[in-house]
Amino acid sequence: MRRFAFLLTTFAAGLLSAATVPNFSEHVYPIVRAKCQGCHQPGEIAPMTFTSYRDTRPWAAAIRTAVSRGTMPPWHADAQASRAFHNDRSLTAAERETLTSWVAAGAPEGPARDDPAPVSTDAPDKAWRLGKPDLVLKVPSFQVPAKGDVPYTFFIFPTKLEKDTWIHAAEWRIDKRRVVHHMNAFVRPPGSSYVEGYPAGVAFVPTIAQRRNGRQGEGAFARRELLLGYEPGYRPIPWGPRQGKLIPAGSDVVFECHFDTNGEETVDASELAIYFAKEPPVERVVTLSVQNMIFTIPPGDPAYRSDATVTFAEPVRVVSVQPHMHLRGKAMKIEAVDPAGRKAGVIDVPRYDFNWQTTYFLRDPLPLAPGARLDCAAWFDNSPNNKHNPDPRTAVKWGDQSRDEMHIGFVEIAFDARVDADRLLR
Ligand code: HEC
């Protein structure tokens, strides 16, 4: 009887393993292609490539660790407390299981593939992922010194567009990723007070007051509008069909650049591609900063909370969200509150990582009625337990450098293209 049971178990185990030991060619490669190769291929941001069995096999143990810890693929939104996102690159439980049991089984290759594994690429033209641009704006070359802080550096680029121009996408090509902390491209309509008086094409460093203070009665969007930002982890994604951003006739694009030093003098020459809309969109998209600039994080505080909110005066739809904090950023949550006070989670990032400032695109844009709010709560860890903390002994306020902090929820919203953007908020 015992012997029979033993036989039966061995037999069952044999069947099970034959059925479930995944191999690279048939089971692992399709996952790697869909969820990893966007970054793990030549010329992309990951330092190692996963384009064939040969180049993936040496990383098997590291893949098991990264996948079971959830550090790869990088994706920080909690699925339960967030909306569904169309650029979600996280693994399903089944995919995770396939990858880890493949490694546990000795990472077998499976049937040899006769063709070399093709590299999946979403870049029709290697230079630009979104294809041939209609307009390329070159950020003038900038010599980044070897050490020290580089203050936010600005450049003005006159677009010379003669009529109001709708664009359906824009894409950054960052030249030296190691030294570019972030870049923002702002649209500055004619007559705006934003960093006015500086010449085009040359680097300048305005004071904080010059950057911030608008003219009396000047609308925020009449002054400037964020066209597109680049932060680590950035991927270009066009806005939806019949949606676009507006570049009014005669606007300038103002580049705000934050360079980091990394021990070597380097010249950066990044570029921004613009894609014109084929037809005028039905909805205009703008980027709001749901932010709080007034806070002091006490030294050592492990979970300081800051709150920000906006209330809408017009119907809008939330298109994307991007939590932005610096090195002490710990968590961020954005909730929609309808005029009756009912709450709905938009995004919850329980473990924020400064190196992955992902923009999360809602699969179904979230409609908000006039009177609805977006509440954005941020938590900061200024304790010594935060391994990224530059100095747990200091009180930390809002500021430009990574050792200072920021609390911004960048929120892209879409609304009736005929509505004046400066009437959106209450
Ligand atoms: C959005 C870009 C991106 C995606 C998608 C991505 N990775 Fe990575 N991966 C990186 C970058 C960048 C690094 C190097 C820096 C780092 O470790 O954070 C990396 C590093 C790694 C490492 C090395 C970590 C270590 O411990 O040294 C492994 C293993 C890895 N990735 C596995 C994967 C797997 C498996 C997938 C898909 C299931 C994946 N990655 C998807 C960007 C990505």
Side-chain angles (χ1 to χ4, degrees):
M1 181 64 201
R2 195 186 276 166
R3 187 185 177 134
F4 177 69
F6 171 76
L7 270 177
L8 198 68
T9 331
T10 347
F11 178 66
L15 259 189
L16 198 73
S17 59
T20 58
V21 166
N23 64 60
F24 184 80
S25 306
E26 292 170 301
H27 311 106
V28 170
Y29 186 71
I31 301 174
V32 163
R33 188 186 161 100
K35 299 285 176 80
C36 318
Q37 279 187 355
C39 301
H40 289 274
Q41 64 167 292
E44 263 306 333
I45 58 174
M48 66 295 275
T49 61
F50 299 152
T51 53
S52 65
Y53 181 68
R54 261 177 91 118
D55 63 15
T56 312
R57 177 65 187 84
W59 290 95
I63 289 174
R64 172 150 77 163
T65 312
V67 164
S68 26
R69 286 197 188 137
T71 52
M72 283 288 150
W75 185 258
H76 300 88
D78 177 81
Q80 302 307 316
S82 306
R83 308 275 300 179
F85 300 109
H86 76 64
N87 59 328
D88 191 342
R89 57 188 172 221
S90 61
L91 296 174
T92 63
E95 289 171 332
R96 196 174 306 118
E97 172 60 27
T98 302
L99 292 181
T100 52
S101 45
W102 170 65
V103 180
E109 178 172 14
R113 307 166 65 94
D114 29 350
D115 52 297
V119 175
S120 87
T121 169
D122 46 358
D125 159 359
K126 208 51 193 150
W128 297 104
R129 295 182 155 271
L130 301 181
K132 196 175 166 317
D134 295 308
L135 182 65
V136 176
L137 315 186
K138 289 182 193 299
V139 181
S141 303
F142 183 76
Q143 179 121 24
V144 184
K147 1 185 231 272
D149 283 345
V150 187
Y152 280 21
T153 304
F154 287 69
F155 301 93
I156 295 170
F157 187 108
T159 63
K160 304 205 175 80
L161 291 171
E162 284 168 8
K163 43 184 200 244
D164 289 357
T165 304
W166 290 97
I167 64 170
H168 82 92
E171 173 177 346
W172 280 108
R173 179 160 66 197
I174 298 301
D175 180 24
K176 303 283 161 44
R177 286 203 180 100
R178 282 168 299 122
V179 295
V180 176
H181 171 289
H182 84 239
M183 287 202 178
N184 282 327
F186 292 100
V187 174
R188 179 175 76 169
S192 158
S193 69
Y194 181 51
V195 293
E196 69 185 327
Y198 288 97
V202 294
F204 62 96
V205 177
T207 64
I208 300 224
Q210 282 167 322
R211 278 160 46 189
R212 282 194 194 145
N213 297 340
R215 195 178 292 133
Q216 267 280 309
E218 184 180 35
F221 288 94
R223 183 162 180 270
R224 66 167 206 189
E225 176 184 339
L226 182 61
L227 178 62
L228 191 67
Y230 162 84
E231 288 89 17
Y234 159 83
R235 321 276 302 163
I237 298 184
W239 297 292
R242 317 295 318 263
Q243 290 178 343
K245 286 200 173 181
L246 177 64
I247 307 182
S251 291
D252 298 321
V253 168
V254 178
F255 294 111
E256 174 201 84
C257 310
H258 183 185
F259 297 103
D260 263 339
T261 52
N262 79 337
E264 253 174 75
E265 213 173 84
T266 314
V267 175
D268 179 77
S270 295
E271 297 176 315
L272 179 73
I274 303 273
Y275 298 85
F276 297 152
K278 302 265 176 308
E279 51 191 334
V282 175
E283 286 183 310
R284 177 171 173 188
V285 177
V286 295
T287 309
L288 300 176
S289 301
V290 186
Q291 64 184 39
N292 174 26
M293 300 175 76
I294 301 162
F295 54 77
T296 306
I297 309 169
D301 193 329
Y304 178 83
R305 178 174 172 153
S306 158
D307 286 287
T309 188
V310 291
T311 304
F312 294 96
E314 295 282 334
V316 299
R317 299 199 299 154
V318 180
V319 173
S320 78
V321 289
Q322 187 206 326
H324 178 73
M325 299 175 278
H326 291 171
L327 297 165
R328 292 168 178 93
K330 179 188 175 93
M332 190 180 280
K333 214 182 237 187
I334 300 180
E335 275 182 335
V337 186
D338 76 9
R342 281 183 299 252
K343 292 183 178 178
V346 179
I347 191 165
D348 181 0
V349 172
R351 277 173 300 282
Y352 175 79
D353 181 342
F354 179 65
N355 292 310
W356 291 106
Q357 307 203 29
T358 311
T359 302
Y360 299 85
F361 286 84
L362 279 69
R363 200 184 55 201
D364 308 307
L366 175 67
L368 298 178
R373 286 195 331 255
L374 281 178
D375 290 348
C376 175
W379 287 265
F380 298 91
D381 182 352
N382 195 13
S383 78
N385 292 335
N386 172 2
K387 67 173 181 204
H388 302 294
N389 194 344
D391 186 359
R393 294 159 307 179
T394 44
V396 184
K397 292 180 189 287
W398 178 285
D400 286 349
Q401 299 297 333
S402 303
R403 63 170 176 273
D404 309 315
E405 268 307 332
M406 285 194 182
H407 167 191
I408 309 178
F410 289 109
V411 179
E412 281 183 329
I413 54 164
F415 56 98
D416 185 332
R418 294 162 303 186
V419 169
D420 174 3
D422 277 317
R423 287 194 7 231
L424 288 176
L425 297 185
R426 253 188 211 160

